[in-house]
Amino acid sequence: MAKLAPSLLSADFSKLGKEIDILEKGGADYVHLDVMDGIYVPNITFGAPVIKKIRGTTKLPFDVHLMVDRPERFIDDFIDAGSDIITVHPDASIHLHRTLQEIRNKGAKAGVSLNPSTPLDVLEYLMDDIDLILIMSVNPGFGGQSYIPAMTEKIMKLKDMIVKSGNDIILEVDGGIKLENAREIIDAGADLIVVGSGIFATDDVESRVKKFKELIA
Ligand code: DX5
Ligand code: ZN
């Protein structure tokens, strides 16, 4: 069964603990944390100190998405903050293989995130070193963008690659996912969907989380 990772990017940053509590009540499986540095993407969000503070408010696993230039500089900080999964972008990390090994060696799951224009080939020699692959279905940097339809075929191709590799790799999809298209994305092969504005742009976040959970069940 597919799982749900609400993204805090569209949450109220003045009450993150409460927002996580509501997500948990609704049945969220992970908390997705979008770290942006204003260099790799044209936006700045939050870093390891904020994650460390909210870590104590929930037992849900933290799925940390680093949209950060040379993320290898910060692996220790994000491990120390309590990240369960750390995902990096190949074009941001100079020695991607080493970065992934470092994440694993330090006790977190290692993820690779591909932008819409990044081909799947970049994964070819890394399939034994990855726990999660994140397909960006919008360009990274902002919440509330529209799903790029060509990504459905990319998800299907990646699913095939993962099955052929024989490895236990989570296929995550992030960006523009709403109640209307979640089913299509899961049917294409997603194991884990990230939803930001599709969850927080409503007055009743808890029941929206429940709706997503019903839909993907
Ligand atoms: C975008 C982020 C996403 C974002 C998704 O750079 O990686 O996680 O929060 O937001 P929505 O669901 O609004 O597209
Ligand atoms: Zn994300």
PDB file of all heavy atoms in Angstrom, residues 5-10 32-36 41 65 67 89 113 134 136-147 173-178 194-199, ligand 1:
ATOM      1  N   ALA A   5       3.301  11.322   2.737  1.00  0.00           N
ATOM      2  CA  ALA A   5       4.233  12.205   3.440  1.00  0.00           C
ATOM      3  C   ALA A   5       3.798  13.652   3.236  1.00  0.00           C
ATOM      4  O   ALA A   5       4.181  14.279   2.253  1.00  0.00           O
ATOM      5  CB  ALA A   5       5.650  11.987   2.914  1.00  0.00           C
ATOM      6  N   PRO A   6       2.995  14.197   4.143  1.00  0.00           N
ATOM      7  CA  PRO A   6       2.643  15.614   4.015  1.00  0.00           C
ATOM      8  C   PRO A   6       3.893  16.484   4.141  1.00  0.00           C
ATOM      9  O   PRO A   6       4.767  16.198   4.973  1.00  0.00           O
ATOM     10  CB  PRO A   6       1.685  15.857   5.186  1.00  0.00           C
ATOM     11  CG  PRO A   6       1.143  14.512   5.521  1.00  0.00           C
ATOM     12  CD  PRO A   6       2.280  13.567   5.258  1.00  0.00           C
ATOM     13  N   SER A   7       3.977  17.527   3.310  1.00  0.00           N
ATOM     14  CA  SER A   7       5.107  18.451   3.364  1.00  0.00           C
ATOM     15  C   SER A   7       4.734  19.664   4.207  1.00  0.00           C
ATOM     16  O   SER A   7       3.712  20.305   3.968  1.00  0.00           O
ATOM     17  CB  SER A   7       5.479  18.916   1.957  1.00  0.00           C
ATOM     18  OG  SER A   7       6.280  20.078   2.059  1.00  0.00           O
ATOM     19  N   LEU A   8       5.613  20.002   5.149  1.00  0.00           N
ATOM     20  CA  LEU A   8       5.356  21.156   6.019  1.00  0.00           C
ATOM     21  C   LEU A   8       5.544  22.487   5.300  1.00  0.00           C
ATOM     22  O   LEU A   8       5.288  23.535   5.880  1.00  0.00           O
ATOM     23  CB  LEU A   8       6.285  21.101   7.239  1.00  0.00           C
ATOM     24  CG  LEU A   8       6.014  19.999   8.266  1.00  0.00           C
ATOM     25  CD1 LEU A   8       6.941  20.176   9.470  1.00  0.00           C
ATOM     26  CD2 LEU A   8       4.554  19.997   8.738  1.00  0.00           C
ATOM     27  N   LEU A   9       6.000  22.435   4.045  1.00  0.00           N
ATOM     28  CA  LEU A   9       6.273  23.687   3.323  1.00  0.00           C
ATOM     29  C   LEU A   9       5.062  24.622   3.308  1.00  0.00           C
ATOM     30  O   LEU A   9       5.220  25.840   3.364  1.00  0.00           O
ATOM     31  CB  LEU A   9       6.719  23.366   1.888  1.00  0.00           C
ATOM     32  CG  LEU A   9       7.217  24.529   1.032  1.00  0.00           C
ATOM     33  CD1 LEU A   9       8.432  25.196   1.663  1.00  0.00           C
ATOM     34  CD2 LEU A   9       7.545  24.071  -0.381  1.00  0.00           C
ATOM     35  N   SER A  10       3.870  24.067   3.228  1.00  0.00           N
ATOM     36  CA  SER A  10       2.668  24.903   3.185  1.00  0.00           C
ATOM     37  C   SER A  10       1.983  25.021   4.553  1.00  0.00           C
ATOM     38  O   SER A  10       0.867  25.532   4.654  1.00  0.00           O
ATOM     39  CB  SER A  10       1.663  24.343   2.163  1.00  0.00           C
ATOM     40  OG  SER A  10       2.238  24.360   0.871  1.00  0.00           O
ATOM     41  N   HIS A  32       7.366  15.213   5.665  1.00  0.00           N
ATOM     42  CA  HIS A  32       8.321  15.617   4.624  1.00  0.00           C
ATOM     43  C   HIS A  32       8.806  17.035   4.921  1.00  0.00           C
ATOM     44  O   HIS A  32       7.998  17.955   5.079  1.00  0.00           O
ATOM     45  CB  HIS A  32       7.632  15.545   3.258  1.00  0.00           C
ATOM     46  CG  HIS A  32       8.522  15.830   2.096  1.00  0.00           C
ATOM     47  ND1 HIS A  32       9.320  14.868   1.505  1.00  0.00           N
ATOM     48  CD2 HIS A  32       8.738  16.971   1.399  1.00  0.00           C
ATOM     49  CE1 HIS A  32       9.973  15.405   0.488  1.00  0.00           C
ATOM     50  NE2 HIS A  32       9.652  16.691   0.400  1.00  0.00           N
ATOM     51  N   LEU A  33      10.121  17.196   4.998  1.00  0.00           N
ATOM     52  CA  LEU A  33      10.703  18.489   5.385  1.00  0.00           C
ATOM     53  C   LEU A  33      11.560  19.035   4.253  1.00  0.00           C
ATOM     54  O   LEU A  33      12.593  18.440   3.896  1.00  0.00           O
ATOM     55  CB  LEU A  33      11.527  18.291   6.656  1.00  0.00           C
ATOM     56  CG  LEU A  33      10.649  17.855   7.846  1.00  0.00           C
ATOM     57  CD1 LEU A  33      11.314  16.796   8.677  1.00  0.00           C
ATOM     58  CD2 LEU A  33      10.283  19.053   8.691  1.00  0.00           C
ATOM     59  N   ASP A  34      11.128  20.145   3.689  1.00  0.00           N
ATOM     60  CA  ASP A  34      11.797  20.735   2.527  1.00  0.00           C
ATOM     61  C   ASP A  34      12.805  21.782   2.958  1.00  0.00           C
ATOM     62  O   ASP A  34      12.452  22.902   3.319  1.00  0.00           O
ATOM     63  CB  ASP A  34      10.754  21.371   1.604  1.00  0.00           C
ATOM     64  CG  ASP A  34       9.926  20.322   0.887  1.00  0.00           C
ATOM     65  OD1 ASP A  34      10.523  19.492   0.178  1.00  0.00           O
ATOM     66  OD2 ASP A  34       8.689  20.326   1.043  1.00  0.00           O
ATOM     67  N   VAL A  35      14.076  21.417   2.879  1.00  0.00           N
ATOM     68  CA  VAL A  35      15.150  22.334   3.272  1.00  0.00           C
ATOM     69  C   VAL A  35      15.677  23.031   2.013  1.00  0.00           C
ATOM     70  O   VAL A  35      16.166  22.369   1.095  1.00  0.00           O
ATOM     71  CB  VAL A  35      16.290  21.569   3.985  1.00  0.00           C
ATOM     72  CG1 VAL A  35      17.411  22.526   4.367  1.00  0.00           C
ATOM     73  CG2 VAL A  35      15.756  20.838   5.213  1.00  0.00           C
ATOM     74  N   MET A  36      15.550  24.343   1.972  1.00  0.00           N
ATOM     75  CA  MET A  36      15.989  25.122   0.798  1.00  0.00           C
ATOM     76  C   MET A  36      16.984  26.188   1.241  1.00  0.00           C
ATOM     77  O   MET A  36      16.797  26.826   2.274  1.00  0.00           O
ATOM     78  CB  MET A  36      14.782  25.801   0.149  1.00  0.00           C
ATOM     79  CG  MET A  36      13.681  24.841  -0.248  1.00  0.00           C
ATOM     80  SD  MET A  36      12.387  25.708  -1.152  1.00  0.00           S
ATOM     81  CE  MET A  36      11.161  24.377  -1.292  1.00  0.00           C
ATOM     82  N   VAL A  41      18.098  26.329  -4.918  1.00  0.00           N
ATOM     83  CA  VAL A  41      16.748  26.753  -5.336  1.00  0.00           C
ATOM     84  C   VAL A  41      16.536  28.210  -4.907  1.00  0.00           C
ATOM     85  O   VAL A  41      17.146  28.647  -3.931  1.00  0.00           O
ATOM     86  CB  VAL A  41      15.638  25.863  -4.720  1.00  0.00           C
ATOM     87  CG1 VAL A  41      15.615  24.494  -5.353  1.00  0.00           C
ATOM     88  CG2 VAL A  41      15.789  25.741  -3.212  1.00  0.00           C
ATOM     89  N   HIS A  65      14.223  16.427   2.741  1.00  0.00           N
ATOM     90  CA  HIS A  65      14.520  16.676   1.332  1.00  0.00           C
ATOM     91  C   HIS A  65      15.430  17.896   1.244  1.00  0.00           C
ATOM     92  O   HIS A  65      14.978  19.030   1.421  1.00  0.00           O
ATOM     93  CB  HIS A  65      13.173  16.901   0.608  1.00  0.00           C
ATOM     94  CG  HIS A  65      13.300  17.175  -0.850  1.00  0.00           C
ATOM     95  ND1 HIS A  65      12.243  17.607  -1.628  1.00  0.00           N
ATOM     96  CD2 HIS A  65      14.358  17.070  -1.695  1.00  0.00           C
ATOM     97  CE1 HIS A  65      12.634  17.761  -2.871  1.00  0.00           C
ATOM     98  NE2 HIS A  65      13.918  17.445  -2.941  1.00  0.00           N
ATOM     99  N   MET A  67      17.246  20.526  -0.615  1.00  0.00           N
ATOM    100  CA  MET A  67      17.422  21.297  -1.855  1.00  0.00           C
ATOM    101  C   MET A  67      18.487  22.344  -1.547  1.00  0.00           C
ATOM    102  O   MET A  67      18.224  23.531  -1.377  1.00  0.00           O
ATOM    103  CB  MET A  67      16.084  21.919  -2.275  1.00  0.00           C
ATOM    104  CG  MET A  67      15.144  20.881  -2.861  1.00  0.00           C
ATOM    105  SD  MET A  67      13.418  21.377  -2.823  1.00  0.00           S
ATOM    106  CE  MET A  67      13.004  20.932  -1.140  1.00  0.00           C
ATOM    107  N   HIS A  89      20.083  16.046  -4.137  1.00  0.00           N
ATOM    108  CA  HIS A  89      19.985  16.169  -5.599  1.00  0.00           C
ATOM    109  C   HIS A  89      21.353  15.901  -6.228  1.00  0.00           C
ATOM    110  O   HIS A  89      22.358  16.470  -5.772  1.00  0.00           O
ATOM    111  CB  HIS A  89      19.481  17.568  -5.971  1.00  0.00           C
ATOM    112  CG  HIS A  89      18.010  17.755  -5.760  1.00  0.00           C
ATOM    113  ND1 HIS A  89      17.119  17.861  -6.806  1.00  0.00           N
ATOM    114  CD2 HIS A  89      17.269  17.818  -4.627  1.00  0.00           C
ATOM    115  CE1 HIS A  89      15.889  18.000  -6.327  1.00  0.00           C
ATOM    116  NE2 HIS A  89      15.942  17.986  -5.012  1.00  0.00           N
ATOM    117  N   SER A 113      17.120  12.627  -5.375  1.00  0.00           N
ATOM    118  CA  SER A 113      15.959  13.316  -5.948  1.00  0.00           C
ATOM    119  C   SER A 113      16.273  13.819  -7.351  1.00  0.00           C
ATOM    120  O   SER A 113      17.288  14.485  -7.560  1.00  0.00           O
ATOM    121  CB  SER A 113      15.595  14.497  -5.046  1.00  0.00           C
ATOM    122  OG  SER A 113      14.578  15.259  -5.644  1.00  0.00           O
ATOM    123  N   LEU A 134      13.425   9.937  -5.307  1.00  0.00           N
ATOM    124  CA  LEU A 134      12.338  10.913  -5.323  1.00  0.00           C
ATOM    125  C   LEU A 134      12.227  11.526  -6.721  1.00  0.00           C
ATOM    126  O   LEU A 134      13.195  12.105  -7.224  1.00  0.00           O
ATOM    127  CB  LEU A 134      12.614  12.007  -4.282  1.00  0.00           C
ATOM    128  CG  LEU A 134      11.533  13.048  -4.010  1.00  0.00           C
ATOM    129  CD1 LEU A 134      11.809  13.733  -2.675  1.00  0.00           C
ATOM    130  CD2 LEU A 134      11.443  14.098  -5.080  1.00  0.00           C
ATOM    131  N   MET A 136      10.837  14.428  -8.728  1.00  0.00           N
ATOM    132  CA  MET A 136      10.220  15.748  -8.609  1.00  0.00           C
ATOM    133  C   MET A 136       9.240  15.910  -9.772  1.00  0.00           C
ATOM    134  O   MET A 136       9.630  15.837 -10.935  1.00  0.00           O
ATOM    135  CB  MET A 136      11.278  16.859  -8.710  1.00  0.00           C
ATOM    136  CG  MET A 136      12.217  17.020  -7.541  1.00  0.00           C
ATOM    137  SD  MET A 136      11.500  17.555  -5.967  1.00  0.00           S
ATOM    138  CE  MET A 136      10.413  18.874  -6.405  1.00  0.00           C
ATOM    139  N   SER A 137       7.986  16.147  -9.437  1.00  0.00           N
ATOM    140  CA  SER A 137       6.978  16.316 -10.493  1.00  0.00           C
ATOM    141  C   SER A 137       6.609  17.785 -10.670  1.00  0.00           C
ATOM    142  O   SER A 137       5.648  18.128 -11.361  1.00  0.00           O
ATOM    143  CB  SER A 137       5.751  15.446 -10.183  1.00  0.00           C
ATOM    144  OG  SER A 137       5.422  15.480  -8.819  1.00  0.00           O
ATOM    145  N   VAL A 138       7.429  18.664 -10.046  1.00  0.00           N
ATOM    146  CA  VAL A 138       7.452  20.107 -10.340  1.00  0.00           C
ATOM    147  C   VAL A 138       8.931  20.485 -10.239  1.00  0.00           C
ATOM    148  O   VAL A 138       9.735  19.698  -9.748  1.00  0.00           O
ATOM    149  CB  VAL A 138       6.644  20.934  -9.299  1.00  0.00           C
ATOM    150  CG1 VAL A 138       5.169  20.554  -9.298  1.00  0.00           C
ATOM    151  CG2 VAL A 138       7.219  20.815  -7.889  1.00  0.00           C
ATOM    152  N   ASN A 139       9.275  21.692 -10.662  1.00  0.00           N
ATOM    153  CA  ASN A 139      10.653  22.138 -10.425  1.00  0.00           C
ATOM    154  C   ASN A 139      10.782  22.562  -8.967  1.00  0.00           C
ATOM    155  O   ASN A 139       9.891  23.229  -8.435  1.00  0.00           O
ATOM    156  CB  ASN A 139      11.012  23.279 -11.377  1.00  0.00           C
ATOM    157  CG  ASN A 139      11.223  22.752 -12.783  1.00  0.00           C
ATOM    158  OD1 ASN A 139      12.192  22.034 -13.039  1.00  0.00           O
ATOM    159  ND2 ASN A 139      10.300  23.050 -13.677  1.00  0.00           N
ATOM    160  N   PRO A 140      11.879  22.152  -8.301  1.00  0.00           N
ATOM    161  CA  PRO A 140      11.966  22.391  -6.863  1.00  0.00           C
ATOM    162  C   PRO A 140      12.065  23.880  -6.524  1.00  0.00           C
ATOM    163  O   PRO A 140      12.564  24.664  -7.320  1.00  0.00           O
ATOM    164  CB  PRO A 140      13.250  21.659  -6.472  1.00  0.00           C
ATOM    165  CG  PRO A 140      14.051  21.579  -7.708  1.00  0.00           C
ATOM    166  CD  PRO A 140      13.074  21.485  -8.838  1.00  0.00           C
ATOM    167  N   GLY A 141      11.576  24.221  -5.367  1.00  0.00           N
ATOM    168  CA  GLY A 141      11.721  25.597  -4.883  1.00  0.00           C
ATOM    169  C   GLY A 141      10.459  26.177  -4.269  1.00  0.00           C
ATOM    170  O   GLY A 141      10.541  27.025  -3.386  1.00  0.00           O
ATOM    171  N   PHE A 142       9.314  25.730  -4.725  1.00  0.00           N
ATOM    172  CA  PHE A 142       8.056  26.319  -4.264  1.00  0.00           C
ATOM    173  C   PHE A 142       6.963  25.275  -4.145  1.00  0.00           C
ATOM    174  O   PHE A 142       6.932  24.317  -4.916  1.00  0.00           O
ATOM    175  CB  PHE A 142       7.581  27.400  -5.253  1.00  0.00           C
ATOM    176  CG  PHE A 142       8.609  28.465  -5.499  1.00  0.00           C
ATOM    177  CD1 PHE A 142       9.488  28.365  -6.566  1.00  0.00           C
ATOM    178  CD2 PHE A 142       8.724  29.554  -4.637  1.00  0.00           C
ATOM    179  CE1 PHE A 142      10.469  29.331  -6.785  1.00  0.00           C
ATOM    180  CE2 PHE A 142       9.700  30.518  -4.841  1.00  0.00           C
ATOM    181  CZ  PHE A 142      10.569  30.414  -5.915  1.00  0.00           C
ATOM    182  N   GLY A 143       6.055  25.508  -3.202  1.00  0.00           N
ATOM    183  CA  GLY A 143       4.845  24.701  -3.136  1.00  0.00           C
ATOM    184  C   GLY A 143       3.795  25.287  -4.073  1.00  0.00           C
ATOM    185  O   GLY A 143       3.990  26.364  -4.646  1.00  0.00           O
ATOM    186  N   GLY A 144       2.720  24.556  -4.260  1.00  0.00           N
ATOM    187  CA  GLY A 144       1.575  25.076  -5.005  1.00  0.00           C
ATOM    188  C   GLY A 144       1.716  25.111  -6.518  1.00  0.00           C
ATOM    189  O   GLY A 144       0.936  25.779  -7.199  1.00  0.00           O
ATOM    190  N   GLN A 145       2.699  24.411  -7.086  1.00  0.00           N
ATOM    191  CA  GLN A 145       2.839  24.385  -8.552  1.00  0.00           C
ATOM    192  C   GLN A 145       2.032  23.216  -9.130  1.00  0.00           C
ATOM    193  O   GLN A 145       1.583  22.330  -8.401  1.00  0.00           O
ATOM    194  CB  GLN A 145       4.309  24.214  -8.932  1.00  0.00           C
ATOM    195  CG  GLN A 145       5.233  25.271  -8.366  1.00  0.00           C
ATOM    196  CD  GLN A 145       6.684  25.003  -8.763  1.00  0.00           C
ATOM    197  OE1 GLN A 145       7.110  25.307  -9.867  1.00  0.00           O
ATOM    198  NE2 GLN A 145       7.453  24.404  -7.852  1.00  0.00           N
ATOM    199  N   SER A 146       1.886  23.221 -10.462  1.00  0.00           N
ATOM    200  CA  SER A 146       1.092  22.165 -11.106  1.00  0.00           C
ATOM    201  C   SER A 146       1.949  20.958 -11.471  1.00  0.00           C
ATOM    202  O   SER A 146       3.083  21.106 -11.943  1.00  0.00           O
ATOM    203  CB  SER A 146       0.450  22.689 -12.397  1.00  0.00           C
ATOM    204  OG  SER A 146      -0.415  23.736 -12.077  1.00  0.00           O
ATOM    205  N   TYR A 147       1.384  19.799 -11.286  1.00  0.00           N
ATOM    206  CA  TYR A 147       2.008  18.523 -11.659  1.00  0.00           C
ATOM    207  C   TYR A 147       2.372  18.527 -13.144  1.00  0.00           C
ATOM    208  O   TYR A 147       1.561  18.917 -13.993  1.00  0.00           O
ATOM    209  CB  TYR A 147       1.019  17.392 -11.351  1.00  0.00           C
ATOM    210  CG  TYR A 147       1.528  16.013 -11.679  1.00  0.00           C
ATOM    211  CD1 TYR A 147       2.351  15.328 -10.793  1.00  0.00           C
ATOM    212  CD2 TYR A 147       1.164  15.381 -12.871  1.00  0.00           C
ATOM    213  CE1 TYR A 147       2.815  14.053 -11.089  1.00  0.00           C
ATOM    214  CE2 TYR A 147       1.630  14.108 -13.176  1.00  0.00           C
ATOM    215  CZ  TYR A 147       2.456  13.451 -12.276  1.00  0.00           C
ATOM    216  OH  TYR A 147       2.912  12.188 -12.571  1.00  0.00           O
ATOM    217  N   VAL A 173       7.226  10.443  -4.937  1.00  0.00           N
ATOM    218  CA  VAL A 173       6.898  11.484  -5.922  1.00  0.00           C
ATOM    219  C   VAL A 173       6.481  12.746  -5.169  1.00  0.00           C
ATOM    220  O   VAL A 173       5.746  12.676  -4.181  1.00  0.00           O
ATOM    221  CB  VAL A 173       5.781  11.017  -6.886  1.00  0.00           C
ATOM    222  CG1 VAL A 173       5.481  12.085  -7.939  1.00  0.00           C
ATOM    223  CG2 VAL A 173       6.186   9.714  -7.585  1.00  0.00           C
ATOM    224  N   ASP A 174       6.983  13.892  -5.662  1.00  0.00           N
ATOM    225  CA  ASP A 174       6.849  15.149  -4.906  1.00  0.00           C
ATOM    226  C   ASP A 174       6.534  16.307  -5.844  1.00  0.00           C
ATOM    227  O   ASP A 174       7.322  16.635  -6.724  1.00  0.00           O
ATOM    228  CB  ASP A 174       8.194  15.390  -4.188  1.00  0.00           C
ATOM    229  CG  ASP A 174       8.205  16.627  -3.309  1.00  0.00           C
ATOM    230  OD1 ASP A 174       7.158  17.282  -3.157  1.00  0.00           O
ATOM    231  OD2 ASP A 174       9.290  16.933  -2.764  1.00  0.00           O
ATOM    232  N   GLY A 175       5.377  16.930  -5.618  1.00  0.00           N
ATOM    233  CA  GLY A 175       5.051  18.173  -6.323  1.00  0.00           C
ATOM    234  C   GLY A 175       3.756  18.107  -7.113  1.00  0.00           C
ATOM    235  O   GLY A 175       3.576  17.240  -7.959  1.00  0.00           O
ATOM    236  N   GLY A 176       2.850  19.005  -6.773  1.00  0.00           N
ATOM    237  CA  GLY A 176       1.602  19.125  -7.549  1.00  0.00           C
ATOM    238  C   GLY A 176       0.628  17.975  -7.364  1.00  0.00           C
ATOM    239  O   GLY A 176      -0.241  17.753  -8.199  1.00  0.00           O
ATOM    240  N   ILE A 177       0.764  17.232  -6.257  1.00  0.00           N
ATOM    241  CA  ILE A 177      -0.134  16.086  -6.042  1.00  0.00           C
ATOM    242  C   ILE A 177      -1.375  16.545  -5.274  1.00  0.00           C
ATOM    243  O   ILE A 177      -1.273  17.187  -4.226  1.00  0.00           O
ATOM    244  CB  ILE A 177       0.585  14.925  -5.316  1.00  0.00           C
ATOM    245  CG1 ILE A 177       1.831  14.515  -6.113  1.00  0.00           C
ATOM    246  CG2 ILE A 177      -0.367  13.745  -5.125  1.00  0.00           C
ATOM    247  CD1 ILE A 177       2.623  13.365  -5.510  1.00  0.00           C
ATOM    248  N   LYS A 178      -2.529  16.238  -5.843  1.00  0.00           N
ATOM    249  CA  LYS A 178      -3.828  16.625  -5.268  1.00  0.00           C
ATOM    250  C   LYS A 178      -4.695  15.372  -5.198  1.00  0.00           C
ATOM    251  O   LYS A 178      -4.338  14.327  -5.745  1.00  0.00           O
ATOM    252  CB  LYS A 178      -4.520  17.660  -6.178  1.00  0.00           C
ATOM    253  CG  LYS A 178      -3.653  18.846  -6.583  1.00  0.00           C
ATOM    254  CD  LYS A 178      -3.514  19.857  -5.452  1.00  0.00           C
ATOM    255  CE  LYS A 178      -2.642  21.026  -5.911  1.00  0.00           C
ATOM    256  NZ  LYS A 178      -1.878  21.679  -4.932  1.00  0.00           N
ATOM    257  N   VAL A 194       4.263  12.831  -1.708  1.00  0.00           N
ATOM    258  CA  VAL A 194       4.427  14.041  -0.900  1.00  0.00           C
ATOM    259  C   VAL A 194       3.303  14.996  -1.287  1.00  0.00           C
ATOM    260  O   VAL A 194       3.061  15.218  -2.472  1.00  0.00           O
ATOM    261  CB  VAL A 194       5.788  14.708  -1.195  1.00  0.00           C
ATOM    262  CG1 VAL A 194       5.930  16.006  -0.402  1.00  0.00           C
ATOM    263  CG2 VAL A 194       6.929  13.757  -0.888  1.00  0.00           C
ATOM    264  N   VAL A 195       2.621  15.533  -0.283  1.00  0.00           N
ATOM    265  CA  VAL A 195       1.560  16.503  -0.579  1.00  0.00           C
ATOM    266  C   VAL A 195       1.721  17.704   0.346  1.00  0.00           C
ATOM    267  O   VAL A 195       1.747  17.553   1.566  1.00  0.00           O
ATOM    268  CB  VAL A 195       0.150  15.880  -0.387  1.00  0.00           C
ATOM    269  CG1 VAL A 195      -0.919  16.880  -0.829  1.00  0.00           C
ATOM    270  CG2 VAL A 195      -0.003  14.572  -1.158  1.00  0.00           C
ATOM    271  N   GLY A 196       1.860  18.881  -0.252  1.00  0.00           N
ATOM    272  CA  GLY A 196       1.986  20.116   0.526  1.00  0.00           C
ATOM    273  C   GLY A 196       0.694  20.905   0.491  1.00  0.00           C
ATOM    274  O   GLY A 196      -0.177  20.762   1.350  1.00  0.00           O
ATOM    275  N   SER A 197       0.553  21.761  -0.545  1.00  0.00           N
ATOM    276  CA  SER A 197      -0.639  22.617  -0.628  1.00  0.00           C
ATOM    277  C   SER A 197      -1.926  21.796  -0.718  1.00  0.00           C
ATOM    278  O   SER A 197      -2.979  22.232  -0.244  1.00  0.00           O
ATOM    279  CB  SER A 197      -0.521  23.566  -1.821  1.00  0.00           C
ATOM    280  OG  SER A 197      -0.271  22.853  -3.003  1.00  0.00           O
ATOM    281  N   GLY A 198      -1.844  20.611  -1.301  1.00  0.00           N
ATOM    282  CA  GLY A 198      -3.031  19.754  -1.410  1.00  0.00           C
ATOM    283  C   GLY A 198      -3.568  19.328  -0.051  1.00  0.00           C
ATOM    284  O   GLY A 198      -4.707  18.881   0.064  1.00  0.00           O
ATOM    285  N   ILE A 199      -2.751  19.475   0.988  1.00  0.00           N
ATOM    286  CA  ILE A 199      -3.207  19.145   2.346  1.00  0.00           C
ATOM    287  C   ILE A 199      -3.458  20.409   3.170  1.00  0.00           C
ATOM    288  O   ILE A 199      -4.470  20.517   3.862  1.00  0.00           O
ATOM    289  CB  ILE A 199      -2.184  18.225   3.055  1.00  0.00           C
ATOM    290  CG1 ILE A 199      -2.417  16.782   2.586  1.00  0.00           C
ATOM    291  CG2 ILE A 199      -2.306  18.319   4.581  1.00  0.00           C
ATOM    292  CD1 ILE A 199      -1.467  15.763   3.139  1.00  0.00           C
TER     293      ILE A 199
HETATM  294  C1  DX5 B   1       8.980  21.630  -3.759  1.00  0.00           C
HETATM  295  C2  DX5 B   1       8.978  20.704  -2.588  1.00  0.00           C
HETATM  296  C3  DX5 B   1       7.707  19.994  -2.323  1.00  0.00           C
HETATM  297  C4  DX5 B   1       6.538  20.871  -2.038  1.00  0.00           C
HETATM  298  C5  DX5 B   1       5.319  20.234  -2.603  1.00  0.00           C
HETATM  299  O1  DX5 B   1      10.265  22.091  -4.005  1.00  0.00           O
HETATM  300  O2  DX5 B   1       9.993  19.735  -2.725  1.00  0.00           O
HETATM  301  O3  DX5 B   1       7.871  19.054  -1.269  1.00  0.00           O
HETATM  302  O4  DX5 B   1       6.300  21.097  -0.680  1.00  0.00           O
HETATM  303  O5  DX5 B   1       4.291  21.146  -2.502  1.00  0.00           O
HETATM  304  P1  DX5 B   1       2.964  20.958  -3.346  1.00  0.00           P
HETATM  305  O6  DX5 B   1       2.320  19.695  -2.893  1.00  0.00           O
HETATM  306  O7  DX5 B   1       2.177  22.189  -2.987  1.00  0.00           O
HETATM  307  O8  DX5 B   1       3.368  20.924  -4.799  1.00  0.00           O
END
